[in-house]
Amino acid sequence: MKFVNKKVCLLFITAYLEARRHKRFKANTLQFSQAVEINIRYLNNQINSRQYKIKPSLCFIAFNPIKREIFAGDFSDRVIHHLIFKKLNLYYENIFINDCYSCRKNRGTGYGIERATKFMRSVSDNYQRPSYILKLDIKGYFMNIDRYTLYKQNLNLIKKFFKNQPAEINEILYLLKKIIFNDPTINCKLRGKKEDWQGLPKNKSLFSASPNKGLPIGNLTSQLFGNVYLNDFDHFVKEKLKCRYYGRYVDDMIFMHQDKEYLKAIIPKIEFYLKKNLALEIHPKKIYLQPINHGLSFLGAFIKPYRLYPGKRIRKNIYSAFKEAARGQRSIDSLNSYLGVIKNYNSYKFRKNLFARRLGLAVLNQLKAKINDDYTKIIPQK
């Protein structure tokens, strides 16, 4: 592959390999991979000549773990998403607070659950003092992100981190304009039935978003930008509101304090900040304020004092996986990965009941397997 700049070549190859991970046998990926060197050079030339055009996305409704609208970009565009992510995330990681848990290496959902558990113990002096949890959710977060505000945030950061690199700044800003201001609802290809969209709230669909508002769920860049958009807010909570026990996963936020009145008092301050600076609103029906001893539902887990249970979403996903296995659509390794996850929770009774039911027995029969004594591993029968 004849690139003048070997560093650029390496970045493109890495972006390509990351983009195809877990998607190697998709038609779009195979088509790109058949002439990978030619396609990568073509993308690079398109960027250098400022003629890069984003191709139509594939739009569909995903039902698990929750119903949501997905825009899957063309594989060539996903390569560019990974290229941008690789260039920016190295710098952006340094500005994010520790307790931002979305799309971050070693700071994912498992880390978020661990931190939330630690918060509950610390704020309550190991559950000896009355303490409270406030949970907030932003109404239609991704669909209400203002693209001009987002671009300005990135512009300021890029000028800071790529100081004295005008060529790099120009190229990154060119790509960001293309990605941020692209409207994927134009010329997208719909997969599935129109009825799939029935029941999906308007604030969950880009087709109903206001002009220059909203990012497509499904793009790697959208996940990164979701963290960038609320980064100043995170620092506002930590540094201005002085909330020590605060964590966020996308737009799901938790706040903990010994003083219930403090948590009540910060709600209007949070609402004012979000509306004034980011044109966002707190979901009025998703404001929860309760004692810590009542437990916390967060990131698919239900955290109680000294106990950790798999939440409804995790249990639902496991039941779905077992139904697929009963139809011969799941392997033993696939189910064991689920069992490996929930064995870290207080889930013995749940695992035992799972295999005592008709569904669990049907799965073992279909796979010609048995379950071990503590219900954590399915073993093929000899």
Side-chain angles (χ1 to χ4, degrees), residues 256-270:
M256 301 185 200
H257 205 276
Q258 291 179 355
D259 187 352
K260 186 177 182 180
E261 295 306 314
Y262 165 83
L263 293 176
K264 284 183 179 180
I266 67 172
I267 295 175
K269 295 178 182 178
I270 289 169

Side-chain angles (χ1 to χ4, degrees), residues 114-127:
E114 179 185 318
R115 290 287 290 174
T117 303
K118 183 178 180 180
F119 287 173
M120 291 172 68
R121 288 184 174 179
S122 297
V123 71
S124 63
D125 291 337
N126 207 22
Y127 305 110

